[in-house]
Amino acid sequence: MDGSLVSRPTPAGEATGTCYKADVSALFHQILPCEFFQAALWKAKVCENNRVYTSAVVVWLMICQRLQAQGTLESAVLELLGGLPSGFWPMPCKRLERAAGEGGTRLSQQTGAYNRARQELSLPVVEQCCDHAFQQLIQQAELAPERRLAFFFDGSTVRMPHCEELVEAYPPTTNQHGVSHWPLLRLLVAHDLYTGLALRPQWGPVNGSQAVANRAC
């Protein structure tokens, strides 16, 4: 998956939407089970206590956002409140246990906790998820063994929010009129030629002493 916005071409009714979501959820748990996240956290030396927004939950909710035409933080939280499989929490925290009990305190609909969990998500864990998902999906594609390993590349530049840290890391463009306002990032994604599956993207600054070309990303 390369982060492109994906939605079903035509709404086929609520039942079809439920089946669609169930299929994606089943594939997610097959490729990235909780055991994988536990191993990835250990490898990344990240200690994650029992909580509602575990790494597995956050990654799943972010995927749900991208699979919706108008995916928002609110829609992701509603996905959580609508009920996720218990497999997301092998050892549920007290908040989840209370919410599951009759008359218990329900989970909040506010997006702050989810947004904070997204920002705190470990980059090494996400990278492991991307690499593992690509390998698993390629294996499931059952491609002919004699096919050649081939990729095509898709590169672009991305304007980012203006802040001191991003301006330093990804310098804006300079021309005869002065310095641009927006930090610029160069992004490159390699796609498998036969399936279109994307490898983990590579990126770097467009300008400055650390600037990278598409071929170097």
Side-chain angles (χ1 to χ4, degrees):
M1 293 172 281
D2 64 353
S4 300
L5 193 60
V6 178
S7 61
R8 285 174 292 155
T10 55
E14 185 176 352
T16 302
T18 302
C19 293
Y20 172 78
K21 186 183 297 182
D23 290 343
V24 177
S25 177
L27 181 61
F28 177 85
H29 283 287
Q30 178 187 350
I31 294 175
L32 299 173
C34 276
E35 294 78 12
F36 171 82
F37 279 97
Q38 292 170 357
L41 288 165
W42 180 86
K43 185 176 181 180
K45 298 181 180 179
V46 175
C47 180
E48 185 172 273
N49 298 326
N50 289 346
R51 57 186 181 181
V52 175
Y53 289 104
T54 63
S55 294
V57 171
V58 174
V59 170
W60 167 245
L61 294 182
M62 291 174 68
I63 291 174
C64 287
Q65 279 188 256
R66 298 305 298 171
L67 291 175
Q68 299 177 43
Q70 300 295 330
T72 62
L73 296 179
E74 289 82 2
S75 65
V77 173
L78 289 176
E79 174 74 15
L80 170 71
L81 298 179
L84 296 181
S86 59
F88 276 108
W89 301 281
M91 299 178 62
C93 64
K94 292 183 179 180
R95 288 183 61 196
L96 287 168
E97 291 177 343
R98 288 197 297 265
E102 185 174 352
T105 305
R106 299 303 170 187
L107 299 176
S108 173
Q109 297 185 21
Q110 299 300 318
T111 61
Y114 169 53
N115 188 43
R116 185 167 59 253
R118 291 190 318 152
Q119 296 174 5
E120 294 174 352
L121 196 60
S122 167
L123 178 58
V125 170
V126 175
E127 291 176 340
Q128 291 181 66
C129 289
C130 293
D131 295 343
H132 184 74
F134 176 83
Q135 294 170 1
Q136 293 297 307
L137 290 171
I138 282 291
Q139 292 176 6
Q140 292 184 21
E142 297 182 354
L143 300 170
E146 65 275 9
R147 81 175 182 96
R148 298 179 61 186
L149 188 64
F151 295 88
F152 65 91
F153 295 89
D154 182 15
S156 182
T157 57
V158 180
R159 291 195 308 180
M160 297 181 294
H162 183 93
C163 69
E164 183 177 348
E165 182 179 3
L166 289 177
V167 168
E168 182 178 356
Y170 304 99
T173 296
T174 302
N175 58 24
Q176 69 272 22
H177 302 292
V179 181
S180 174
H181 180 72
W182 308 107
L184 279 182
L185 173 147
R186 174 166 280 126
L187 182 69
L188 184 68
V189 182
H191 297 262
D192 179 72
L193 180 63
Y194 296 88
T195 64
L197 291 169
L199 285 165
R200 175 157 50 90
Q202 302 293 314
W203 62 85
V206 175
N207 306 298
S209 60
Q210 303 299 319
V212 296
N214 280 337
R215 62 180 180 275
C217 283

